[in-house]
Amino acid sequence: MAARADACSPLDSDGLFNEMQARKNWPSGGPPAVFDLRHADAYAKQHVRGAFHATVSPDDGELTVAGGSGWFDKAVCVYDETAESLDDHPVVVKLRADARARRVYFLTETYEAFHARYPFLCARGSSSSAMKRPPAYPSCIIPGLLYLGDLEDAAALPRLREHLNIRHAVTALADPPQSLKASVAEAKVDHTWCNVRDVEGGDIKEHFDKAIGAIERGSAKGHAVFVHCSRGVSRSASLCIAYLMKARKMSAAD
């Protein structure tokens, strides 16, 4: 059982977007359960896809999570009408006291702000998709500019173009599969190929300038750029780090 958290951890809309992309085999244990703390009428009208409506009874102090119980020992993110800290909200107090959540986050922005930023992650309460988790998206490194992902994300480039304005893909693979070529063609995105194998002796450094140039061209046009390899944890991550350090002058520690 997880230890009781002393306080909520803040997440802005981009942070919640990234947390929702976590995979089950990641150290975080997968995406958080999302609790909507607004009035039931507001929840019924529209909410984050897959979010549960959570309340604490004023009579017996029991936590009620409508429609869900599979959040035990998982991270939980709560949101409300306001952007204020939710440390003292009865639902959060109960979560921390019961120690049934691995970690508790709160959205530092209103639901309306999150919906304006990521409308495709929200749904009408009456929609068939309201309680279905949305498909995965790549991780956001720089909002509106740089995203990092894997081959599964690359196969969804048409959706990424529509939802995230991704109009350029940088591939760090030795042999791009046909599915990637088809996705690039369907999405009509610019494509930069860095021919590098996933081996210890592979020299990723020789591809830094090419990848950085692609990202900077996307930035100049106001477009987002998607960088990927097969799993999004080594070659493509190295290209993103190179961009952050060389173009954005970030330190290795940062």
Side-chain angles (χ1 to χ4, degrees):
M1 184 63 67
R4 184 178 70 85
D6 290 329
C8 286
S9 299
L11 283 178
D12 61 11
S13 291
D14 295 323
L16 177 55
F17 170 87
N18 271 349
E19 289 295 331
M20 292 176 72
Q21 311 320 316
R23 309 300 203 262
K24 290 182 178 179
N25 62 340
W26 288 11
S28 63
V34 180
F35 287 3
D36 187 315
L37 308 185
R38 299 174 300 157
H39 190 275
D41 290 344
Y43 173 81
K45 183 177 180 180
Q46 190 178 66
H47 56 80
V48 174
R49 287 183 58 175
F52 303 112
H53 187 240
T55 58
V56 168
S57 171
D59 298 324
D60 56 17
E62 287 301 309
L63 174 64
T64 299
V65 181
S69 60
W71 52 271
F72 296 167
D73 200 28
K74 292 183 62 175
V76 173
C77 181
V78 300
Y79 66 86
D80 204 347
E81 297 282 7
T82 69
E84 299 174 357
S85 172
L86 297 172
D87 271 349
D88 296 328
H89 191 284
V91 169
V92 174
V93 172
K94 187 67 174 177
L95 284 171
R96 289 159 51 199
D98 287 353
R100 286 194 273 182
R102 178 178 298 185
R103 186 172 185 179
V104 182
Y105 297 102
F106 75 93
L107 185 64
T108 60
E109 302 173 57
T110 64
Y111 169 77
E112 286 72 18
F114 181 81
H115 177 267
R117 183 96 172 92
Y118 296 108
F120 51 88
L121 296 182
C122 304
R124 299 188 309 276
S126 60
S127 169
S128 61
S129 63
M131 293 311 299
K132 294 180 181 178
R133 287 198 176 275
Y137 290 84
S139 296
C140 176
I141 307 302
I142 299 176
L145 172 61
L146 184 58
Y147 294 83
L148 170 65
D150 56 20
L151 272 174
E152 181 181 349
D153 297 316
L157 278 172
R159 171 164 52 83
L160 302 189
R161 173 169 179 153
E162 177 186 357
H163 291 169
L164 299 174
N165 193 35
I166 287 174
R167 296 171 182 264
H168 198 126
V170 177
T171 295
L173 292 173
D175 302 300
Q178 186 57 43
S179 59
L180 170 63
K181 298 176 183 177
S183 182
V184 167
E186 182 182 351
K188 296 181 173 62
V189 298
D190 294 331
H191 187 226
T192 297
W193 176 33
C194 298
N195 185 352
V196 56
R197 294 188 177 279
D198 188 15
V199 294
E200 186 174 348
D203 186 6
I204 191 72
K205 296 189 300 296
E206 67 180 69
H207 301 284
F208 284 171
D209 288 343
K210 181 190 293 186
I212 291 170
I215 297 169
E216 290 185 326
R217 289 194 299 275
S219 177
K221 295 179 180 178
H223 297 163
V225 180
F226 167 60
V227 183
H228 80 98
C229 54
S230 58
R231 296 181 60 196
V233 296
S234 54
R235 291 166 287 181
S236 54
S238 297
L239 295 179
C240 289
I241 291 169
Y243 171 78
L244 295 175
M245 293 182 70
K246 295 188 72 173
R248 296 292 179 113
K249 306 304 180 185
M250 291 178 65
S251 68
D254 291 335

